Amino acid sequence: FHKLQILSWAVHIFVVGGFVGILFTALVNDFQDGYVPVLIIYFLSLTVLILSYAYCLLSDPAKPSPIGLDCKAIVKNNRADERYCRVCKKKIPGLDHHCEWLGTCIGESNYFAFFSLIS
């Protein structure tokens, strides 16, 4: 494992722990003091974070995007050609970079999920 991957796992645990802490505080206070909007926003943000992270890790960047998004407009270099990644030993359509943090390539098929994850 790369040191950035281990750091990201620690951050994810911290974020989930923060959500549990806010939820516990809200339960103790019977959801008074405006905790409900905070919990909704936190839960939605956490859901996007987890789904984007899982999609980046579990999808194969060498395959076309299954959700049919046209990410050529999003990829900064707008490369529709395939490039070879020496780390993954694959040709990746629209390869942007190999992400050491996720341990996978960021290309056309998972760029949207990666962008959602980092933003």
Side-chain angles (χ1 to χ4, degrees):
F1 297 107
H2 193 269
K3 61 184 175 184
L4 290 176
Q5 287 176 312
I6 295 169
L7 177 65
S8 73
W9 297 336
V11 169
H12 281 85
I13 290 169
F14 179 75
V15 168
V16 170
F19 176 72
V20 170
I22 292 172
L23 182 61
F24 180 74
T25 305
L27 286 171
V28 167
N29 294 324
D30 294 326
F31 290 97
Q32 296 174 357
D33 302 327
Y35 282 107
V36 175
V38 173
L39 284 172
I40 291 171
I41 292 169
Y42 205 97
F43 178 74
L44 292 175
S45 300
L46 186 61
T47 302
V48 169
L49 175 81
I50 290 171
L51 290 177
S52 298
Y53 188 77
Y55 185 80
C56 283
L57 287 179
L58 300 176
S59 67
D60 184 6
K63 294 183 180 177
S65 177
I67 48 181
L69 292 174
D70 184 18
C71 292
K72 293 175 188 173
I74 299 172
V75 177
K76 66 179 179 180
N77 293 331
N78 199 11
R79 292 177 265 206
D81 58 326
E82 294 183 338
R83 289 181 38 214
Y84 184 76
C85 176
R86 287 183 245 169
V87 179
C88 292
K89 296 179 177 53
K90 294 180 182 178
K91 285 186 177 182
I92 310 296
L95 177 67
D96 187 60
H97 68 284
H98 181 85
C99 183
E100 292 291 335
W101 173 48
L102 294 171
T104 188
C105 288
I106 305 302
E108 219 173 81
S109 65
N110 62 353
Y111 193 81
F112 185 75
F114 177 74
F115 189 75
S116 297
L117 179 64
I118 63 172
S119 58

